[in-house]
DNA sequence: CAGTGGTCTAGACCACACA
DNA sequence: GTGTGGTCTAGACCACTGC
């Protein structure tokens, strides 16, 4: 009876985590090899391997061939944020989502944008400004720039009812993304859109996407006052 | 010759990703089961499984038993940020890191803190204020609150040369962390510490840690002007 | 009920890194 | 060289869930 219980990789993770937390294996400790642990726990090495691999991914352990597995002194855990579609983020709160196109124009890429995402001097872009609302409350202002050379269909698309994000995602493949968060200051136009005072701080996210070396789009998204991006680790 | 090549799970990931990106498997597509794919690719099901599992983790696929694996319409990729030690983040820039303790006191937990992290009315906390510099440039102001009941050694510790973060990490285990980012506004005191103008926007990170249900510490970290948190996905 | 993913096993070979 | 993690295999049983 007692022998038939399978040892799951989750159980191994828990066990190792507990030993770390209870300081049985303090920071810096080199813990037994996979084979040893497998024998101790009565399971296959594969199982131990998966447990340890995940713990390493989560930042608790450092693994090196030959050197072995050591307990990370600083749980420099990776915080993983789900970057949801705005519409879903809003609807998750129970409020209805509303989208509005504010402006649209085709123009040569401005120098700051060229430098920022890597465009040539002759490249043209589609510039969109959009608002996203939770019910009637302003939620996010989106400043979107699309590389026309990379997305020729963009200028012919009507963005008055579908947001650029949703459209791009289904139309254009991409391979690399850079996201960056910062605290900005609302200028008077932005303040009006987001129903706040000019000069107020705004939480800002900037996202650039490429397909192989080609820049696809750059978006600056500013959130209404009080926005917090939260995660549990 | 041609037969001996091993099919790695990375290769499978690449292949699947390529089919997704090239729209062979468009959004919503249900792709073949693991057994079928394994046969097609000439590898073990385990290999396919690992590839698909990781792709699902990364947000490209949805997997359900019986229903099968489908291509996610929106690559709601998880952005994972390394939350580095401040000292390391600074030294990575090449600048020397300097730490300074600004103030320290023991006091009853203020109501907002009690509510925020779940303390009782009689709980006392150690309140620290610290500065982190890159060379002589202000980099981060740290407002740190430590639950004395959970960390009795804290009041007896000298934080004038070691930062609370580094000390806590080696002294106190924790099981849960909540991190949250927001844009705040510098009050006059903060502005002076960070060498900016009062009212300027400040990128702020708040971190709470618990050990099982017990709150350990709460930290509000405000960054000097221009700070950006960046990730590549 | 039946099909799909989820996981475990036992064994093997490989690649890397330290001595 | 030699030990440790990295990965692949072939086969098996389980668990969830849609029909």
């Amino acid at each position: 009876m007692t022998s038939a219980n399978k040892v799951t990789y989750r159980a191994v993770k828990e066990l190792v985590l507990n030993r770390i937390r209870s300081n049985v294996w303090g920071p810096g400790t080199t813990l037994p090899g996979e084979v040893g642990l497998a024998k101790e726990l009565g399971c296959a090495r594969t199982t131990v391997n998966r447990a340890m691999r995940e713990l390493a991914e989560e930042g608790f352990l450092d693994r090196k061939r030959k050197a072995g597995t050591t307990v990370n002194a600083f749980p420099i855990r990776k915080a993983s944020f789900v970057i949801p579609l705005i519409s879903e983020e809003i609807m998750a709160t129970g409020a209805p989502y509303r989208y509005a196109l504010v402006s649209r124009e085709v123009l040569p890429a401005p120098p700051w944008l060229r430098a920022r995402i890597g465009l040539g001097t002759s490249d043209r872009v589609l510039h969109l400004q959009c608002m996203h609302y939770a019910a009637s409350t302003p939620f996010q202002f989106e400043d979107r720039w699309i590389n026309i050379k990379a997305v020729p269909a963009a200028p012919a698309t009507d963005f008055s009812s579908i947001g650029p994000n949703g459209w791009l995602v289904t139309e254009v493949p991409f391979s690399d993304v850079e996201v960056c968060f910062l605290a900005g200051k609302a200028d008077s136009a932005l303040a009006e859109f987001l129903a706040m005072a000019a000069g107020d701080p705004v939480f800002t996210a900037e996202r650039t996407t490429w397909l192989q070396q080609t820049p696809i789009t750059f978006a600056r998204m500013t959130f209404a006052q009080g926005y917090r991006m939260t995660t549990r680790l």
Side-chain angles (χ1 to χ4, degrees), chain A residues 62-192:
Chain A
D62 264 349
R63 317 194 79 196
K64 273 184 198 162
R65 283 160 159 150
K66 171 71 177 177
T69 301
T70 59
V71 178
N72 203 324
F74 298 101
I76 304 177
R77 304 212 205 168
K78 283 179 281 184
S80 59
F81 300 89
V82 187
I83 304 191
L85 287 183
I86 314 139
S87 57
E88 292 184 5
E89 189 171 8
I90 289 175
M91 296 213 272
T93 70
Y97 166 69
R98 196 167 72 75
Y99 161 81
L101 178 63
V102 172
S103 77
R104 108 182 247 145
E105 61 177 328
V106 172
L107 73 171
W112 67 266
L113 182 64
R114 292 209 310 266
R116 178 74 188 269
I117 72 177
L119 285 169
T121 50
S122 65
D123 283 326
R124 296 172 66 75
V125 290
L126 173 63
H127 179 208
L128 302 169
Q129 294 185 304
C130 325
M131 277 299 301
H132 304 270
Y133 296 90
S136 55
T137 308
F139 186 82
Q140 182 195 95
F141 179 82
E142 176 179 356
D143 200 40
R144 167 76 63 170
W145 306 76
I146 302 173
N147 179 11
I148 293 182
K149 197 194 281 175
V151 195
T157 303
D158 174 26
F159 288 100
S160 62
S161 61
I162 184 178
N165 206 337
W167 183 81
L168 281 165
V169 144
T170 62
E171 289 294 312
V172 190
F174 56 90
S175 56
D176 298 279
V177 187
E178 183 184 285
V179 184
C180 127
F181 299 96
L182 58 121
K185 199 173 194 169
D187 61 25
S188 57
L190 188 57
E192 216 164 330

Side-chain angles (χ1 to χ4, degrees), chain A residues 141 182-204 220-226:
Chain A
F141 179 82
L182 58 121
K185 199 173 194 169
D187 61 25
S188 57
L190 188 57
E192 216 164 330
F193 277 117
L194 293 177
M196 58 203 307
D200 274 355
V202 282
F203 188 84
T204 306
R220 173 179 292 123
M221 293 152 287
T222 44
F223 291 81
Q225 206 147 29

Side-chain angles (χ1 to χ4, degrees), chain A residues 1-41:
Chain A
M1 293 297 117
T2 54
S3 65
N5 292 332
K6 289 244 184 83
V7 178
T8 70
Y9 79 95
R10 291 167 191 276
V12 177
K13 281 180 74 172
E14 267 317 305
L15 185 146
V16 173
L17 261 185
N18 284 337
R19 291 201 186 167
I20 291 177
R21 288 211 256 265
S22 60
N23 229 31
V24 175
W25 289 332
T29 309
T30 296
L31 31 81
E34 296 189 348
V35 283
L37 264 180
K39 219 168 95 179
E40 178 196 336
L41 305 178

